[in-house]
Each structure stands twice: as structure tokens, then as C-alpha cells.
């Protein structure tokens, strides 16, 4: 199933209580991040005081959804030492938090005894699961969606297990 950003935004806006996102990869090759990733590798860092330079449509959507009372949480399971991409991602995660997301990080070794799905996912109101399928190089391939209650329960349990062990963004650091 292919999904545009607009249809994802509609799905996120349809959440009434919660939306959780579990990320399991150490590398994402997302086209709209190429320029920022290159700039980061050249030493550019976002300035938390210059919101106009980093506020983007995603953060508008996050702010809209959380203002409606929806809890938006993201958990990232990462290898250590962190990949270059994860160090880049960590450097701007303060923007997600400013938008209203809660973000936590769990070193992969802390997840060894957890049963986790094979793909990243979003879970909306504990009912609809959207799996994001990536290729080996981190490029998005397609989206699978399920409203099977057993799949939703399994994903909720996996997310909750990671969330319980993970460290809040504000207290988690990665070496650059």
C-alpha cells in the first residue's frame, strides 16, 4: 500500500487518544532529509532559539494533533555506538519535542529480551497499525496497514515494553 503524506496526515488527525511510533532502524534514506543530512555532516546544527529556521510542516501537524489532546509518543531502538544517521537524527529531535511529541531512546542491547516486530510502525488509538517497510539501505518501499486486533495488541505491547525501558530524549545523549 502506497501512502502519501496527506493521507498519513489524515490518519494521524483521525486519532482521538494516542499515536505511537516505534523506530527500529539505524539508517533511514529519506529523500526530504538529504539536504539537511549533508549540512549536518558539514557541521551545521539547528539553533533551538531560531524556531523559524527549523519549524516545518511535520511540526505543525504534531502541534495540531497534540493540541487536540492526542498523546504522541515516539520510541527509537538504536545500536551503539550510534550510526551517523542516528547522531544526525538525535541532533534535531528537540524540534519534535518542541512540537509536542514525547521521544525516548533505547539502546538495542536493552531490547534483546523483548519481542519486537520486524518493521517500524505507527499505532493509532491502539486499533490501526501502519507498518513502514524499508529496503536494506533505509529507503521507504511501501506501507502495510492492519486493523486486526491481535496485531494491534502485539504492537501496543512491543511499544509499551520499549517505552518503559527507554530514556527520555532530554536525558539521552549520543556521541558526535
Amino acid at each position: 500500500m502506497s501512502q502519501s503524506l496527506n493521507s498519513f496526515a489524515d490518519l494521524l488527525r483521525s486519532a482521538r487518544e494516542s499515536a505511537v511510533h516505534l523506530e527500529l532502524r539505524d539508517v533511514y534514506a529519506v529523500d526530504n532529509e538529504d539536504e539537511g543530512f549533508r549540512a549536518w555532516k558539514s557541521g551545521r546544527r539547528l539553533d533551538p532559539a531560531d524556531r523559524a529556521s527549523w519549524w516545518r510542516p511535520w511540526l505543525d501537524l504534531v502541534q495540531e494533533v497534540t493540541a487536540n489532546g492526542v498523546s504522541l509518543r515516539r520510541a527509537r531502538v538504536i545500536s551503539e555506538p550510534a550510526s551517523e544517521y542516528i547522531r544526525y537524527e538525535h541532533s534535531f529531535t528537540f524540534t519534535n519535542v518542541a512540537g509536542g511529541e514525547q521521544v525516548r531512546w533505547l539502546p538495542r542491547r536493552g531490547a534483546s529480551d523483548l519481542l519486537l516486530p520486524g518493521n517500524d510502525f505507527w499505532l493509532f488509538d491502539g486499533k490501526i497499525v501502519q507498518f513502514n517497510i524499508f529496503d536494506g539501505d533505509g529507503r521507504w518501499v511501501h506501507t502495510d496497514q492492519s486493523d486486526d486486533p491481535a496485531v494491534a495488541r502485539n504492537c501496543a505491547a512491543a511499544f509499551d515494553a520499549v517505552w518503559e525501558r527507554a530514556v527520555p530524549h532530554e536525558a539521552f545523549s549520543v556521541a558526535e
Side-chain angles (χ1 to χ4, degrees):
M1 170 185 197
S2 177
Q3 186 169 40
S4 70
L5 180 58
N6 286 341
S7 61
F8 176 80
D10 292 342
L11 188 57
L12 186 57
R13 284 185 180 108
S14 75
R16 296 292 162 243
E17 296 176 11
S18 66
V20 301
H21 187 194
L22 182 61
E23 296 180 2
L24 302 166
R25 300 185 55 84
D26 287 319
V27 175
Y28 293 90
V30 182
D31 290 341
N32 67 356
E33 290 183 345
D34 287 347
E35 183 181 326
F37 192 28
R38 279 192 302 274
W40 179 86
K41 288 196 273 188
S42 296
R44 180 177 173 260
R45 300 298 182 264
L46 297 180
D47 178 358
D50 185 11
R51 181 176 278 226
S53 71
W54 49 261
W55 197 262
R56 54 196 186 276
W58 168 250
L59 300 175
D60 287 332
L61 178 59
V62 168
Q63 192 170 47
E64 174 189 338
V65 169
T66 57
N68 289 330
V70 175
S71 170
L72 186 54
R73 298 182 296 157
R74 179 186 306 255
R76 294 175 170 144
V77 178
I78 65 164
S79 297
E80 288 186 312
S83 69
E84 184 176 47
Y85 179 85
I86 292 297
R87 293 191 315 271
Y88 159 68
E89 191 174 54
H90 185 272
S91 78
F92 69 79
T93 295
F94 74 87
T95 69
N96 297 70
V97 174
E101 282 188 72
Q102 298 173 61
V103 181
R104 292 187 181 182
W105 303 81
L106 179 63
R108 195 168 307 283
R109 71 180 182 277
S112 295
D113 62 336
L114 300 179
L115 298 177
L116 301 177
N119 294 293
D120 291 12
F121 68 83
W122 280 90
L123 176 62
F124 303 94
D125 289 330
K127 297 177 183 172
I128 298 172
V129 181
Q130 176 180 293
F131 292 102
N132 293 316
I133 312 302
F134 294 89
D135 69 14
D137 293 323
R139 291 181 298 262
W140 179 83
V141 176
H142 66 92
T143 298
D144 291 334
Q145 205 168 84
S146 175
D147 60 3
D148 180 326
V151 172
R153 277 192 306 275
N154 289 341
C155 288
F159 182 87
D160 289 344
V162 168
W163 189 258
E164 183 179 308
R165 293 181 183 184
V167 177
H169 175 71
E170 298 78 7
F172 189 81
S173 62
V174 296
E176 277 198 38

